Amino acid sequence: MPRGAESAAVLPAHLTGAVIILAIESSCDETSAAVSVDGVLRANIVSSQLFHHRYGGIVPELASRAHLRSIVPIVREALDTAGIGIEQVTHVAATQGPGLIGSLLVGLNFGKAFALSRGLPFIPVNHIEAHMIAAFLEEPHPAFPYLCLVVSGGHTQLMLARAVDDHEILGATIDDAAGEAYDKVGKMLGLGFPGGPEIDRRAGRGDATRITLPRPLLDSGDWRFSFSGLKTAVLYQLRREAPEALAQGVPPPEEYLNDICAAFQAAVVDVLVEKTLRAAAAWKLRDIVLAGGVSANSELRRRMRTRGEAAGLRVFLPAPAYTTDNAAMVAQCAWMLLARGHTGTLHAPAYSRTQHGSADAATA
């Protein structure tokens, strides 16, 4: 059964009785609610907006409207699954940002209204911090300080986590995030949206050595990433080898399609894994956490674990259910923030971009 990390943590003296957290996540296109009791997860319900595939990407206005339709039934289902009544909830948490503003406002304002109506503390949660804490939902979990690679459609960052509320951005992408590159390449290949799962599936059938693609910034001497040029390299490959398929927006021949998926994925994974291991060595960190939606990628998980353990590191890979956007990680983050003495506030605005930390890349 999933456990709350630091379930042995001592909460501040002013918290008495069971701590029952209702958590909400609505930063992009998943509406999710979770319930935890004293740091132990009781329910995690996620409703995904599958209709966006027809548009080739997330449509913010449609995402917001879908959250409005889903938020009440999803919260009810989470409470029912946990066997918790509304009157038993002691704290409310919700994602504050970063994310799509319209989507964030639905979950954030619902959480504030719930807390205000019941006279409960409201804990705003940073979306990236929640991803970084997802590894604490299961045992064993990492020990602070640790290195976290956050990879998703909107973020590719190497983070030094000293505590749940104390982290530093060592390096980030200077253009496309890894997940964004996967989606754009998937669209080029006629695989639809999202492109990541299908590229991952086809890469397992292909030969990555048949097509040569660059490894951007692999030896830059810092912790920055760049995937825009890699995406362009795939485009040039398609113009040379499969121009008709590219022009018509359909997949190229099967064998070539599998090979270019394998080559693209190998290039992305090479950069992500190598830079993460170099950063761990430079900062003398023993524990590595892989987080975010792209951390569900099978080759990235396999390679990070194999290379990391060979280097004597402990590698933590959250279960796939906790890699994509979900409220379980929000509940866990809120629990750990309470353990650090946070009391919450209703004066927490939504924000689209991370408000703290530095994106400046530290050199090795």
Side-chain angles (χ1 to χ4, degrees), residues 59-141:
V59 182
E61 174 66 17
L62 297 181
S64 303
R65 291 178 181 275
H67 284 303
L68 285 169
R69 292 191 296 270
S70 299
I71 187 71
V72 171
I74 291 300
V75 168
R76 284 175 175 163
E77 185 176 353
L79 291 169
D80 289 345
T81 300
I84 296 295
I86 289 177
E87 71 284 352
Q88 294 176 274
V89 175
T90 64
H91 295 75
V92 182
T95 303
Q96 180 183 11
L100 299 176
I101 283 294
S103 293
L104 285 164
L105 286 172
V106 175
L108 187 69
N109 287 337
F110 181 93
K112 287 181 179 180
F114 190 109
L116 184 62
S117 68
R118 304 289 305 172
L120 304 176
F122 177 76
I123 313 296
V125 171
N126 178 283
H127 182 68
I128 301 303
E129 288 178 354
H131 272 305
M132 294 170 64
I133 294 301
F136 287 79
L137 283 160
E138 302 168 290
E139 299 288 355
H141 60 70

Side-chain angles (χ1 to χ4, degrees), residues 78-357:
L79 291 169
D80 289 345
T81 300
I84 296 295
I86 289 177
E87 71 284 352
Q88 294 176 274
V89 175
T90 64
H91 295 75
V92 182
T95 303
Q96 180 183 11
L100 299 176
I101 283 294
S103 293
L104 285 164
L105 286 172
V106 175
L108 187 69
N109 287 337
F110 181 93
K112 287 181 179 180
F114 190 109
L116 184 62
S117 68
R118 304 289 305 172
L120 304 176
F122 177 76
I123 313 296
V125 171
N126 178 283
H127 182 68
I128 301 303
E129 288 178 354
H131 272 305
M132 294 170 64
I133 294 301
F136 287 79
L137 283 160
E138 302 168 290
E139 299 288 355
H141 60 70
F144 291 111
Y146 62 84
L147 182 69
C148 184
L149 174 65
V150 181
V151 274
S152 67
H155 302 88
T156 299
Q157 298 174 327
L158 270 174
M159 314 287 286
L160 171 58
R162 300 184 182 91
V164 62
D165 56 353
D166 181 7
H167 64 265
E168 178 183 352
I169 302 175
L170 303 181
T173 181
I174 61 175
D175 42 55
D176 288 355
E180 181 182 3
Y182 264 97
D183 288 338
K184 290 179 178 178
V185 168
K187 191 171 183 179
M188 287 182 207
L189 296 174
L191 299 178
F193 175 85
E198 185 63 14
I199 290 176
D200 188 20
R201 186 175 71 84
R202 289 186 171 276
R205 304 174 185 173
D207 182 351
T209 65
R210 291 182 182 174
I211 298 172
T212 301
L213 293 174
R215 271 62 174 164
L217 297 185
L218 179 61
D219 297 311
S220 62
D222 54 36
W223 316 126
R224 296 176 302 158
F225 299 94
S226 172
F227 296 105
S228 180
L230 176 59
K231 174 192 65 182
T232 304
V234 172
L235 176 63
Y236 289 161
Q237 277 285 339
L238 291 172
R239 285 178 176 174
R240 287 194 299 269
E241 305 295 334
E244 292 183 1
L246 179 63
Q248 297 171 13
V250 298
E254 187 80 4
E255 184 177 357
Y256 177 78
L257 175 60
N258 293 339
D259 288 347
I260 199 165
C261 284
F264 169 75
Q265 179 153 289
V268 173
V269 171
D270 281 352
V271 173
L272 291 175
V273 171
E274 189 62 33
K275 287 217 159 188
T276 300
L277 295 182
R278 290 177 186 175
W283 290 83
K284 297 180 173 57
L285 298 169
R286 181 190 176 199
D287 290 358
I288 292 176
V289 171
L290 191 57
V294 179
S295 68
N297 180 274
S298 64
E299 180 64 10
L300 179 58
R301 293 171 77 89
R302 184 191 69 80
R303 194 99 64 83
M304 189 70 79
R305 183 182 292 281
T306 301
R307 291 284 310 281
E309 291 179 351
L313 304 173
R314 298 199 307 169
V315 178
F316 297 89
L317 308 173
Y322 304 136
T323 59
T324 54
D325 295 344
N326 66 91
M329 66 185 188
V330 178
Q332 183 61 38
C333 194
W335 164 258
M336 294 172 67
L337 287 170
L338 288 170
R340 290 275 288 180
H342 290 249
T343 56
T345 175
L346 286 169
H347 303 288
Y351 52 87
S352 61
R353 297 179 181 274
T354 301
Q355 292 185 319
H356 53 81

Side-chain angles (χ1 to χ4, degrees), residues 20-46:
I20 301 176
I21 299 173
L22 169 64
I24 298 165
E25 155 62 25
S26 67
S27 64
C28 190
D29 62 331
E30 270 85 29
T31 311
S32 182
V35 177
S36 70
V37 179
D38 289 339
V40 178
L41 185 65
R42 289 281 190 89
N44 182 43
I45 309 299
V46 181

